[in-house]
Amino acid sequence: MIVDCAVYRHGHRSEEGPSDLSDALAGARAAGGFVWIGLHEPSEQEFDLVTQEFGLHPLAVEDALKAHQRPKLEVYDDSLFMVLKPVVYEPESDAVSAGEVMVFVGESFVVTVRHGEGSPLAAVRQRLEREPEMLDKGPTSVLYAIADATVDHYLEVATELQNDLDELETEVFRPDTGGSRNTASRIYTFKRQILEFRRATGPLALPLARLAGSGPLGASVPFVHDKSRPFFRDVGDHLTRVNESVEALDRLVSDILSAHLAQMSVRQNDDMRKISAWAAMAAVPTMIAGIYGMNFDHMPELHWLWSYPAVIVLMAVLEVLLYRLFKRRGWL
C-alpha cells in the first residue's frame, strides 16, 4: 500500500497532496522539484500504476515486489535501483532480523518500497523535511539519507552484538557454567546472528563505492551529482567500520567456540583420568581377592592364623599409596 506521497519543491513539501501521479510528476519537473512515493509491501496491482507513471524497469519492479534481494545497485536508462537491508536488533531475544528497502531514483522522482520491519524511512522523511537545504538537492538527497540512516543503525547493532559477545565470553570462561550444553547452543545461535548481519552489510560496500564515484563503474552512475559523492563516501567509510566490526565479531566468536570445545575436551580428559584412577584403586583388592579365591590347596600362608587380617591390611596400604600417588599427580 502507499504509505506516503508528496511533492517537494525547493526543499519544502507541497501542502496539497498529489491527486494524479502524472500531473504531480509534470509539475515537479516544471518547478525543479521531485515526487517521493513510499510503499509498504505493495501488491502487483498496486505497483502497476507507479510502474506505468514513472517508467520503472520491469526487472527492478520484479525485484521490488518479490523482495529477498541482496544489497545492490542497478543502473537503468531512466532510473537507479538500489536495495538496502536495514537490520533490527531485538534485545528480548538477542536476535538480529533484516528487512528490505528498495529505492528507485529518477530525474524527478523517488519511489521507496519497504518489506519487513525496522525501516528508517519514516524517520528519514521527517528529518529531511526539517532540513530543506538538504532536500533541495533533489532525489539524490533522499537516497543518501536512507543509506546514511541504515548504516548508522548498523553501528548501533554492532555495538549491541559486541555487548552480547562480551557476556557470552564471560559465561564460557566461568568455571561453573563453561562446559554446559546450553553455552554451546548460544555460541552457535550467536554465530548465525552475525551471519545474518554480514549478509546485510557486506554486499553494500560496492554499491556505495559506485555512488561515491570510486572504481571503474563509479563515474558511470547517472542521477548522482558530483557534489553529493563525498556524502556517499562518508557513508562508505562508516560501512567500512561496520564490516570491520562484523569481521572481528565473527573471528572472536569462532575463537570462543574453539575455547569452549577445548574446555569440554579438557574436562572430559579430567573425568577419564579420575575414572581410571578409581578403577586402578578398585583393581588392587579385586586382584588379591581373585587370587585367594582360587580353589587350590597349596597356596602361600593359606592356613596361617593371621592370613585374613594380613591381606586386608595389605589391600588398605596399597589403596592408600595409590590414592596419594594419584592425588599428587592431580588425577583425583
Side-chain angles (χ1 to χ4, degrees), residues 10-31:
H10 305 294
H12 296 278
R13 179 170 181 157
S14 177
E15 296 295 335
E16 297 181 359
S19 57
D20 183 82
L21 293 181
S22 298
D23 295 340
L25 183 59
R29 286 174 176 172

Side-chain angles (χ1 to χ4, degrees), residues 5 7 9 18-30 35 37 49-55 108:
C5 179
V7 177
R9 298 184 178 92
S19 57
D20 183 82
L21 293 181
S22 298
D23 295 340
L25 183 59
R29 286 174 176 172
V35 181
I37 300 177
L49 178 61
V50 178
T51 302
Q52 296 172 3
E53 294 296 340
F54 296 106
S108 301

Side-chain angles (χ1 to χ4, degrees), residues 8-293:
Y8 296 90
R9 298 184 178 92
H10 305 294
H12 296 278
R13 179 170 181 157
S14 177
E15 296 295 335
E16 297 181 359
S19 57
D20 183 82
L21 293 181
S22 298
D23 295 340
L25 183 59
R29 286 174 176 172
F34 66 94
V35 181
W36 182 359
I37 300 177
L39 301 100
H40 177 236
E41 298 182 359
S43 64
E44 186 174 352
Q45 293 75 18
E46 291 173 335
F47 208 56
D48 280 343
L49 178 61
V50 178
T51 302
Q52 296 172 3
E53 294 296 340
F54 296 106
L56 305 179
H57 197 279
L59 293 177
V61 171
E62 181 181 359
D63 290 343
L65 289 174
K66 292 185 177 180
H68 304 293
Q69 303 294 318
R70 284 165 51 92
K72 63 180 181 178
L73 176 66
E74 299 288 349
V75 179
Y76 298 103
D77 294 336
D78 299 323
S79 64
L80 293 178
F81 176 66
M82 188 170 184
V83 179
L84 302 101
K85 296 180 75 69
V87 171
V88 177
Y89 175 80
E90 300 172 1
E92 294 81 8
S93 58
D94 294 337
V96 172
S97 60
E100 289 187 46
V101 173
M102 286 78 167
V103 185
F104 295 87
V105 177
E107 183 180 356
S108 301
F109 68 87
V110 177
V111 178
T112 54
V113 182
R114 175 169 63 90
H115 291 268
E117 302 299 329
S119 171
L121 294 182
V124 167
R125 189 185 288 264
Q126 294 173 4
R127 180 167 65 87
L128 285 176
E129 290 178 354
R130 294 193 299 266
E131 300 176 1
E133 66 282 356
M134 174 66 73
L135 202 56
D136 190 35
K137 296 179 181 179
T140 306
S141 64
V142 178
L143 181 59
Y144 157 72
I146 294 174
D148 184 55
T150 301
V151 173
D152 284 347
H153 192 61
Y154 287 164
L155 292 170
E156 298 175 8
V157 173
T159 301
E160 295 291 342
L161 289 176
Q162 181 64 57
N163 294 335
D164 287 346
L165 186 59
D166 291 340
E167 295 177 1
L168 186 59
E169 185 177 16
T170 302
E171 179 179 346
V172 166
F173 291 103
R174 187 182 303 165
D176 54 343
T177 61
S180 65
R181 294 181 179 179
N182 184 44
T183 302
S185 176
R186 285 193 60 192
I187 295 174
Y188 179 76
T189 302
F190 190 85
K191 196 169 182 64
R192 290 293 301 268
Q193 303 304 323
I194 294 177
L195 178 60
E196 182 72 17
F197 194 23
R198 174 182 283 180
R199 287 173 180 169
T201 63
L204 187 58
L206 181 58
L208 287 178
R210 292 183 63 187
L211 290 171
S214 303
L217 300 177
S220 63
V221 178
F223 310 111
V224 178
H225 300 289
D226 292 338
K227 294 183 179 180
S228 64
R229 296 188 186 277
F231 293 93
F232 287 106
R233 193 175 302 120
D234 180 69
V235 178
D237 291 340
H238 292 174
L239 182 65
T240 300
R241 290 173 51 196
V242 173
N243 286 328
E244 290 175 351
S245 298
V246 173
E247 290 293 335
L249 288 172
D250 187 60
R251 288 195 301 269
L252 188 55
V253 75
S254 298
D255 293 341
I256 290 176
L257 179 59
S258 299
H260 175 69
L261 295 177
Q263 280 186 327
M264 294 287 290
S265 178
V266 169
R267 292 189 179 188
Q268 289 177 352
N269 290 337
D270 289 341
D271 293 340
M272 289 302 299
R273 284 189 299 182
K274 291 179 181 179
I275 293 173
S276 300
W278 286 111
M281 293 175 63
V284 171
T286 302
M287 179 188 66
I288 296 175
I291 292 175
Y292 277 89

